[in-house]
């Protein structure tokens, strides 16, 4: 080994020691203030890094490493976690961002099957999409909450960034593009600007499948995530091609277990009120009188019945909240109280 290599090894050892020292300092802060919203803090840190563009670190990898090295995970290692697949999906990316890499992940092909797997104890935790900033509430998730008695024990938000991938050397060689219908809609401006709206669109059930097809089909491309591109080993031609650069999807962590009360909780419920004049106003007034901040009210039709998905600040066991929930218990299904990670998307 030459002298240059020996010096570089010494430098790496010094850097590793500095990293460990900084992690010790971080742990000491979190031990003093365990209720700090580390998810929000770390997400904002990564967003700043992305804007500065002054790092050689793969930011997708950074998102996955942060939960591993910077904060205690919601769950221990080697737990079974089920997500909406296939491999390389945005839901898998959200799961890894939340829980880190040292767990057992597997995918199913529908939101209903995620609930089923957790309900049957085949997985300890499931991760399901609940809303997208561009497309609103995910109806399948609300429907499943009506059918299964599982708890929301956490939330996480993923920035949705689409890429255009292809083995074509020139964009003019692309004759067909694979993706989900929603991804085409979210990238319409880019597609028009590059005249790709004139080629054939092939709709598939996942962006991961789109990446696989594009890797196998001549003169084709796909709209997918960076993770799907890596999984399928297909080159990325363009990054961040979505129309809305602030496109986010929020996910719930579901489980049979429950969470402990913290100083910064949020509660989600489903409400089906009597079909009579003033029932919704009367219900909401109870929250106003108790000075409980309602953060979200979304209407949804479940089996022909008007249903409200409602969220508010506080824990279901808080005395003022418990009083309201008990008063309307015939019309309410409590989905869970959990530590608030974000205000809204």
């Amino acid at each position: 080994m030459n002298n240059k290599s020996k010096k570089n090894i010494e430098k790496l050892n010094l850097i590793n020691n500095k990293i460990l020292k900084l992690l010790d300092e971080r742990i000491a802060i979190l031990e003093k203030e365990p209720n700090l919203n580390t998810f929000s803090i770390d997400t904002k840190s990564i967003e700043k890094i992305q804007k500065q563009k002054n790092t050689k670190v793969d930011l997708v990898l950074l998102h996955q490493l942060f939960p591993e090295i910077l904060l205690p995970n919601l769950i221990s290692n080697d737990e079974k976690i089920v997500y909406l697949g296939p491999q390389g999906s945005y839901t898998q990316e959200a799961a890894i961002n939340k829980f880190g890499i040292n767990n057992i992940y597997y995918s199913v092909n529908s939101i209903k099957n995620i609930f089923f797997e957790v309900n049957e104890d085949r997985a300890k935790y499931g991760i399901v999409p609940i809303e997208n900033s561009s497309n609103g509430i995910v109806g399948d998730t609300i429907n499943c909450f009506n059918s299964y008695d599982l708890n929301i024990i956490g939330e996480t938000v993923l920035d949705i960034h689409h890429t255009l991938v292809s083995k074509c050397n020139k964009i003019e060689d692309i004759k067909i593009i694979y993706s989900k219908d929603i991804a085409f809609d979210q990238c319409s401006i880019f597609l028009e600007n590059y005249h790709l709206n004139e080629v054939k669109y092939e709709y598939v059930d996942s962006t991961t499948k789109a990446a696989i097809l594009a890797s196998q089909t001549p003169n084709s491309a796909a709209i997918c995530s960076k993770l799907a591109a890596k999984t399928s080993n297909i080159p990325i031609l363009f990054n961040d091609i979505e129309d809305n650069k602030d496109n986010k999807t929020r996910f719930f962590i579901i489980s049979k277990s429950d969470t402990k009360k913290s100083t910064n909780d949020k509660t989600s419920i489903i409400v089906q009120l009597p079909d009579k004049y003033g029932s919704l106003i009367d219900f909401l007034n109870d929250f106003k009188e108790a000075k409980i901040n309602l953060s979200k009210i979304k209407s949804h039709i479940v089996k022909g019945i008007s249903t409200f998905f409602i969220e508010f600040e506080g824990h279901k066991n808080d005395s003022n909240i418990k009083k309201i929930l008990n008063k309307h218990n015939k019309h309410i299904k409590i989905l869970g109280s959990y530590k608030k990670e974000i205000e809204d998307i």
Side-chain angles (χ1 to χ4, degrees):
M1 185 180 295
N2 58 39
N3 289 332
K4 185 178 179 180
S5 294
K6 288 180 180 178
K7 287 181 179 178
N8 284 331
I9 289 172
E10 289 176 5
K11 287 180 181 178
L12 287 173
N13 286 331
L14 287 172
I15 291 170
N16 290 338
N17 288 333
K18 287 179 181 178
I19 291 171
L20 289 173
K21 186 178 179 180
L22 288 170
L23 288 174
D24 282 337
E25 290 178 10
R26 179 185 170 93
I27 290 169
I29 292 171
L30 291 178
E31 286 175 345
K32 291 177 182 177
E33 292 196 62
N35 289 316
L36 281 176
N37 191 341
T38 52
F39 176 86
S40 176
I41 294 167
D42 297 335
T43 299
K44 288 177 181 177
S45 295
I46 294 175
E47 287 175 353
K48 287 181 180 178
I49 293 169
Q50 286 174 321
K51 290 177 181 178
Q52 292 168 356
K53 297 180 180 179
N54 58 355
T55 179
K56 294 181 180 180
V57 177
D58 186 320
L59 294 177
V60 173
L61 180 62
L62 187 63
H63 269 291
Q64 296 169 10
L65 288 177
F66 258 45
E68 287 293 321
I69 63 175
L70 295 185
L71 65 149
N73 281 333
L74 180 66
I75 62 174
S76 59
N77 291 337
D78 298 324
E79 293 285 9
K80 282 190 175 181
I81 303 166
V82 60
Y83 65 90
L84 186 62
Q87 187 178 7
S89 68
Y90 288 108
T91 312
Q92 184 194 21
E93 188 176 340
I96 294 172
N97 287 353
K98 182 68 175 179
F99 297 130
I101 57 176
N102 292 326
N103 288 288
I104 303 166
Y105 294 97
Y106 71 99
S107 65
V108 292
N109 62 2
S110 70
I111 291 172
K112 183 178 180 180
N113 282 340
I114 294 174
F115 278 81
F116 179 81
E117 293 291 299
V118 176
N119 192 64
E120 294 297 311
D121 295 317
R122 295 176 184 174
K124 185 71 179 290
Y125 303 96
I127 182 162
V128 293
I130 181 61
E131 61 180 328
N132 176 267
S133 56
S134 299
N135 300 93
I137 292 291
V138 179
D140 286 349
T141 299
I142 297 295
N143 293 339
C144 286
F145 274 123
N146 271 287
S147 302
Y148 290 90
D149 292 323
L150 297 176
N151 298 315
I152 301 169
I153 63 165
E155 64 179 350
T156 188
V157 172
L158 180 69
D159 289 319
I160 303 298
H161 296 298
H162 295 303
T163 64
L164 184 75
V165 302
S166 178
K167 289 187 174 181
C168 295
N169 293 323
K170 297 179 181 179
I171 199 167
E172 295 83 3
D173 295 333
I174 297 172
K175 306 300 179 187
I176 183 172
I177 303 176
Y178 299 99
S179 199
K180 292 185 70 173
D181 52 356
I182 193 172
F184 282 113
D185 291 341
Q186 291 176 351
C187 302
S188 60
I189 295 174
F190 169 85
L191 294 170
E192 288 176 14
N193 287 343
Y194 284 87
H195 304 290
L196 289 172
N197 57 326
E198 299 170 5
V199 307
K200 182 181 178 182
Y201 290 178
E202 187 71 32
Y203 299 101
V204 293
D205 55 11
S206 74
T207 54
T208 302
K209 185 175 181 179
I212 293 170
L213 288 169
S215 70
Q216 299 171 346
T217 309
N219 299 107
S220 68
I223 298 172
C224 64
S225 68
K226 283 185 179 180
L227 184 59
K230 288 187 176 183
T231 303
S232 303
N233 194 28
I234 184 169
I236 295 175
L237 299 186
F238 295 92
N239 283 304
D240 303 338
I241 65 171
E242 64 279 355
D243 300 344
N244 179 6
K245 301 305 177 185
D246 196 34
N247 188 19
K248 301 176 185 292
T249 296
R250 179 177 169 223
F251 297 84
F252 279 149
I253 315 302
I254 59 172
S255 177
K256 280 189 172 179
S257 61
D258 211 342
T259 53
K260 294 180 180 178
K261 185 176 175 180
S262 77
T263 59
N264 186 33
D265 290 313
K266 180 192 291 185
T267 299
S268 300
I269 63 175
I270 290 175
V271 183
Q272 291 181 339
L273 296 170
D275 186 15
K276 64 179 184 180
Y277 176 79
S279 60
L280 177 60
I281 295 297
D282 291 341
F283 176 76
L284 296 179
N285 275 338
D286 286 341
F287 285 87
K288 180 181 178 182
E289 291 173 5
K291 296 182 179 179
I292 299 167
N293 183 34
L294 292 170
S295 56
K296 189 179 296 292
I297 303 174
K298 298 284 186 179
S299 62
H300 182 71
I301 303 297
V302 178
K303 296 180 181 179
I305 300 173
S306 182
T307 301
F308 294 95
F309 173 68
I310 296 177
E311 294 185 328
F312 49 87
E313 294 179 1
H315 194 279
K316 61 186 177 183
N317 291 329
D318 292 344
S319 57
N320 58 339
I321 292 174
K322 203 170 184 179
K323 184 177 179 181
I324 296 173
L325 297 180
N326 287 337
K327 177 181 177 180
H328 300 279
N329 67 330
K330 291 182 179 179
H331 309 296
I332 291 175
K333 183 168 187 179
I334 303 169
L335 305 184
S337 295
Y338 47 94
K339 187 175 179 181
K340 181 171 68 173
E341 302 285 9
I342 44 92
E343 292 297 332
D344 203 358
I345 62 171

